Each structure stands twice: as structure tokens, then as C-alpha cells.
Amino acid sequence: TGGVLSAAVTEVSGSSEFFMGSIVSYANQAKVDLLGVPMEDIRAHGAVSQAVAEKMARGAQHRLNCTFALAI
């Protein structure tokens, strides 16, 4: 979505109390560099796959030091 979800969330007044931030990792190399997704997983499952999305969410959770994260 290229940041559309984050834009919608941050339009809500007070969202900084629960929203830590976002990482837009559109390119495969950004998924690897920013979120720690192994390139092997991207090659094996595809960049748009459940396996990669799960790794992206875990990477975001780690990078943003938060309890919950999602990847779309």
C-alpha cells in the first residue's frame, strides 16, 4: 500500500499513543535490509506471500520495539 494504511492511522488524533510508526519496504532489497527477511524466503515463496509477510511483521516488531506489528 506504500504507506496508505499509516496515513489513515495517523490522521486519528492521539494515534501516537498506540502507533509507533511504519516501514515501507516495497523493494525486495528493502525487505531484506530493513526488516531482515532472508532473500531465500523471497525467492522461495515470493515477495507477496504469507511466509514473507510474517517475516516482515516480525522484523517491524523488532525494529520498532513494539508488541504488535502487521505486514501487508
Side-chain angles (χ1 to χ4, degrees), residues 12-20:
V12 176
S13 180
S15 61
S16 63
E17 291 183 35
F18 60 86
F19 185 73
M20 297 300 295

Side-chain angles (χ1 to χ4, degrees), residues 18-46:
F18 60 86
F19 185 73
M20 297 300 295
S22 66
I23 300 169
V24 178
S25 57
Y26 190 72
N28 288 344
Q29 197 60 52
K31 291 173 178 61
V32 172
D33 295 343
L34 299 173
L35 299 173
V37 177
M39 185 58 81
E40 300 78 36
D41 287 0
I42 295 171
R43 288 186 185 119
H45 304 287

Side-chain angles (χ1 to χ4, degrees), residues 23 25 28 31 35-38 41-42 45-61 68-72:
I23 300 169
S25 57
N28 288 344
K31 291 173 178 61
L35 299 173
V37 177
D41 287 0
I42 295 171
H45 304 287
V48 182
S49 65
Q50 180 176 339
V52 170
E54 288 175 6
K55 295 271 174 75
M56 290 172 63
R58 294 280 182 225
Q61 189 177 25
F68 302 102
L70 69 102
I72 55 173

